[in-house]
Amino acid sequence: MFEERVKVQQQQGHVFLLVDARDMGATSAEARRYAAQFRPESPFRGAVVLFGASLVQRTVVSLVSAAARLLGRDDQDLRSLFFVADEAEAMALIEQHRQQLTPTPPVD
């Protein structure tokens, strides 16, 4: 998923990742380690939005993010991670971030 995110950003300039965590099982130690150590070449532009995550899942993601920060990952990359309750809220958040990336037309 991380490598695909980088490819999309290289092609589009930004990426929005929507994760439905309602049926997400346990994350393996190998996956958590990879997520903590992953360092993209260019700063992340966009947002990663998880919806339907349980308290345990949110805690694990937060701990992995903290580990990544300790390992030197850019804080900007980690600030683009959001937890929301449902898909509608996730889509609204993505739209808000999408508008922030779109230049506004000049005012006459």
Side-chain angles (χ1 to χ4, degrees):
M1 177 176 72
F2 289 95
E3 291 159 3
E4 290 300 315
R5 186 185 88 181
V6 169
K7 286 179 189 177
V8 169
Q9 182 170 316
Q10 287 172 341
Q11 293 171 354
Q12 303 297 322
H14 58 272
V15 64
F16 296 99
L17 184 60
L18 178 62
V19 179
D20 180 350
R22 292 176 292 189
D23 296 321
M24 186 168 75
T27 306
S28 70
E30 180 182 349
R32 292 190 305 267
R33 190 171 23 262
Y34 183 86
Q37 294 174 348
F38 178 76
R39 285 186 183 81
E41 290 180 25
S42 59
F44 179 62
R45 286 184 41 99
V48 177
V49 184
L50 284 88
F51 71 92
S54 69
L55 177 60
V56 171
Q57 291 166 330
R58 292 191 309 264
T59 302
V60 168
V61 171
S62 296
L63 289 172
V64 169
S65 294
R69 193 173 286 113
L70 288 172
L71 292 170
R73 183 110 152 253
D74 185 0
D75 199 45
Q76 175 61 34
D77 188 31
L78 299 170
R79 282 185 288 172
S80 60
L81 174 65
F82 302 93
F83 296 100
V84 297
D86 56 36
E87 188 174 358
E89 191 177 346
M91 294 304 291
L93 182 65
I94 287 173
E95 183 56 33
Q96 176 186 357
H97 282 268
R98 188 178 281 147
Q99 289 176 6
Q100 291 172 356
L101 289 176
T102 305
T104 55
V107 178
D108 294 332

